[in-house]
Amino acid sequence: MPENSLNLAGFNEDAAENILENRRRFLKLFPGQWALAGCWQVHGDAVRVVKNLIDAKPAEDEHGDTVYCDAIVSDAAGVLAGVKTADCVPILIGDPKTGAFAAVHAGWRGTVAEVATKALSRMVNEYKTKPGDIVVAIGPAAGVCCYEVGSEVMDAFGERFAPGANLFKPTRTDHACVDLIKANRAQITAVGVHEEKIYSAPLCTMCHTDLFFSYRREKSVYGKVGRLMSVIGRKRV
Ligand SMILES: [Zn+2]
């Protein structure tokens, strides 16, 4: 249940004061001062560039996530780019050479829309990032063990990925489990990121509702779901 644990988003499913207090506790984990930059996530492919701390910082009494987008890109020290998930894939991208970074939210729609590579190409354009320098962390998400989709989703992937991409594990008629993490890894490596520099969390959110929030597992049971937050940033010096 979102109200019993460290829910970090989902303002229509938990009280705003709970979420904001949880965010304050969460930010305390990171030494120093940070401004959290988020998105009002819409399962799209829009990328928000956060140029500086003023750009990032929402008023303390507002929800903050007022920009409709699914990826945040920045190179500003003190900015913490964050995405919220509960089964979707959180992707954190860091460029140790230029100091640029990105946080990306990719569910199946975002994956089909190639939101991760769009965030990456924004890093290339804005900050001269070279894909070969990049390190990627993929957080806990619904795995191919559990994340079943129907034929319309399979068709959408079929249009975007090569037939040999091997992203599905058949379940029943017109249904299969899709490997969103593999799909995102494939997209990211296709634009020049080295496979060995992409680290994926091995835990499925749907298998581990004791550790994570899972929209698929919990929404129908409790009527509401909390959100995890994945963040990346550069320390102020
Ligand atoms: Zn699973």
Side-chain angles (χ1 to χ4, degrees):
M1 293 287 278
E3 60 264 43
N4 296 339
S5 33
L6 197 73
N7 178 31
L8 292 165
F11 285 97
N12 51 355
E13 306 195 35
D14 195 357
E17 58 264 35
N18 290 345
I19 295 171
L20 295 172
E21 173 57 24
N22 288 341
R23 286 188 180 185
R24 280 190 281 274
R25 292 181 189 184
F26 175 66
L27 287 174
K28 272 193 197 150
L29 294 172
F30 307 95
Q33 285 237 307
W34 295 93
L36 186 62
C39 306
W40 185 309
Q41 296 169 190
V42 292
H43 297 279
D45 64 353
V47 180
R48 174 187 174 196
V49 177
V50 174
K51 300 229 178 262
N52 51 47
L53 286 170
I54 297 157
D55 227 8
K57 188 81 181 133
E60 201 56 34
D61 58 344
E62 288 176 11
H63 301 169
D65 309 329
T66 52
V67 182
Y68 292 91
C69 62
D70 286 273
I72 293 179
V73 169
S74 184
D75 74 343
V79 169
L80 211 49
V83 286
K84 301 148 289 182
T85 56
D87 293 339
C88 288
V89 185
I91 303 167
L92 303 175
I93 305 173
D95 176 357
K97 290 268 171 66
T98 68
F101 54 91
V104 181
H105 160 252
W108 76 261
R109 283 190 177 83
T111 303
V112 168
E114 299 183 45
V115 62
T117 53
K118 283 172 185 168
L120 192 47
S121 72
R122 202 64 184 267
M123 288 170 72
V124 171
N125 294 338
E126 299 275 340
Y127 307 114
K128 310 265 188 296
T129 285
K130 295 191 181 78
D133 293 335
I134 276 176
V135 180
V136 179
I138 299 179
V144 68
C145 42
C146 297
Y147 193 61
E148 189 183 61
V149 295
S151 51
E152 73 287 355
V153 177
M154 294 161 73
D155 291 347
F157 275 81
E159 287 170 19
R160 286 293 183 134
F161 288 88
N166 197 19
L167 300 175
F168 296 101
K169 194 181 77 181
T171 51
R172 55 200 161 108
T173 311
D174 292 333
H175 286 77
C177 282
V178 61
D179 194 336
L180 289 183
I181 291 172
K182 188 175 183 182
N184 278 282
R185 290 184 77 105
Q187 289 175 337
I188 296 166
T189 51
V191 294
V193 177
H194 301 303
E195 183 77 45
E196 68 275 15
K197 289 188 183 176
I198 307 175
Y199 301 88
S200 309
L203 298 174
C204 164
T205 48
M206 292 176 69
C207 288
H208 297 277
T209 51
D210 53 329
L211 294 175
F212 309 117
F213 295 116
S214 169
Y215 194 91
R216 283 275 186 111
R217 287 272 185 260
E218 296 172 308
K219 183 73 177 174
S220 58
V221 180
Y222 303 118
K224 46 192 178 181
V225 190
R227 299 291 189 281
L228 307 165
M229 189 179 284
S230 304
V231 293
I232 184 168
R234 256 178 95 177
K235 251 179 128 168
R236 290 190 233 200
V237 283

